[in-house]
Amino acid sequence: QVQLVESGGGSVQSGGSLRLSCAASGDRYTVYYMAWFRQAPMKEREGIAAVSPVGGTKYINTVQDRFTVSRDNTKNLLYLQMNNLNPEDTAMYYCAATRSSEWWLLAQNRYTYWGQGTQVTVSS
């Protein structure tokens, strides 16, 4: 069992940056694959970035080269550095954890534990 709490969301203008954090607590965080998902208004939740326990990463094309996912296993923290934000990035952002070997699919149903979400709003 792991508990996840996101922070760092807020409002930013187009072209700006935000860094989201996800604090993990509970059981054996370091063995989990971690991911960021987002859900924009009236859209389905989508996985955007994931990181393995040893730092391997997977991104969807729309955030590649703009977002960077990382983790600090000594602090039980997951990060999402978001640069060059645009209004299409506006969404509720969630961190998630799984032990699944299919973590790289960035599929919602492969992730077991979820944070409460943090809102990111990008204005033009």
Side-chain angles (χ1 to χ4, degrees), residues 48-49 57-68 83:
I48 58 172
T57 58
K58 173 69 175 180
Y59 301 91
I60 58 170
N61 289 340
T62 50
V63 308
Q64 187 99 32
D65 302 320
R66 296 192 299 124
F67 293 6
T68 302
N83 299 324

Side-chain angles (χ1 to χ4, degrees), residues 26-124:
D27 191 30
R28 297 173 63 82
Y29 162 78
T30 57
V31 308
Y32 288 92
Y33 301 90
M34 302 294 296
W36 290 97
F37 288 73
R38 67 184 182 186
Q39 187 167 19
M42 308 302 293
K43 293 186 177 181
E44 298 297 312
R45 189 171 299 186
E46 64 173 350
I48 58 172
V51 58
S52 76
V54 296
T57 58
K58 173 69 175 180
Y59 301 91
I60 58 170
N61 289 340
T62 50
V63 308
Q64 187 99 32
D65 302 320
R66 296 192 299 124
F67 293 6
T68 302
V69 62
S70 61
R71 65 194 297 165
D72 185 341
N73 288 339
T74 67
K75 299 179 180 179
N76 289 356
L77 288 173
L78 174 74
Y79 301 103
L80 185 67
Q81 178 66 47
M82 304 186 294
N83 299 324
N84 300 315
L85 287 161
N86 60 67
E88 288 67 47
D89 296 315
T90 294
M92 185 73 74
Y93 283 71
Y94 301 88
C95 64
T98 186
R99 291 179 175 176
S100 172
S101 62
E102 296 181 311
W103 63 277
W104 51 271
L105 290 173
L106 284 167
Q108 184 175 350
N109 63 5
R110 300 297 193 274
Y111 283 79
T112 305
Y113 304 105
W114 295 85
Q116 82 291 345
T118 186
Q119 179 68 40
V120 172
T121 302
V122 185
S123 61
S124 59

